[in-house]
């Protein structure tokens, strides 16, 4: 099963934001961490569904090690939490 790294931005008094460094524009949020994680899984599915409908390639997920080497992402990794969000198996097979 394919998993994408998600960066989870959680600050007290604010919604929890989630974004995927490998999927431009794939973002989500929730009022709690649990809600944000559920919404992130849905956002990942919807992002891939739309890309496939438009014939766009789905970027392969990078490992956490590779993301740490990316100067545009590494500061975010040291500041925020990281989660692995699984891609639905049927979408994984469609790639």
């Amino acid at each position: 099963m394919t998993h994408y790294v998600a960066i989870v931005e959680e600050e007290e008094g604010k919604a929890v934001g989630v974004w995927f460094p490998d999927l431009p524009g794939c973002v989500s949020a929730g009022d709690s961490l649990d809600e944000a994680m559920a919404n992130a899984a849905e956002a990942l599915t919807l992002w891939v569904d739309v890309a496939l409908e438009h014939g766009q390639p789905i970027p392969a997920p990078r490992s956490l090690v590779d993301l740490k080497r990316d100067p545009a992402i590494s500061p975010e990794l040291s500041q925020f939490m990281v989660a692995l969000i699984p891609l639905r198996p049927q979408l994984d097979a469609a790639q």
Side-chain angles (χ1 to χ4, degrees):
M1 179 180 292
T2 301
H3 289 74
Y4 281 85
V5 171
I7 296 181
V8 183
E9 298 185 13
E10 184 176 24
E11 296 180 37
E12 191 159 337
K14 296 183 178 182
V16 179
V18 180
W19 58 280
F20 295 85
D22 291 323
L23 305 173
C26 186
V27 298
S28 186
D31 290 330
S32 68
L33 182 58
D34 288 341
E35 185 178 291
M37 292 296 92
N39 291 344
E42 183 177 353
L44 175 59
T45 297
L46 293 173
W47 193 98
V48 170
D49 284 343
V50 169
L52 291 172
E53 285 175 16
H54 289 89
Q56 300 295 317
I58 310 302
R62 290 180 284 175
S63 71
L64 190 53
V65 171
D66 288 338
L67 289 169
K68 285 181 178 181
R69 291 183 186 135
D70 184 336
I73 304 300
S74 61
E76 306 291 339
L77 293 173
S78 63
Q79 184 177 2
F80 298 109
M81 292 186 297
V82 173
L84 291 176
I85 308 296
L87 184 61
R88 278 195 340 232
Q90 56 270 48
L91 290 178
D92 203 8
Q95 291 187 42

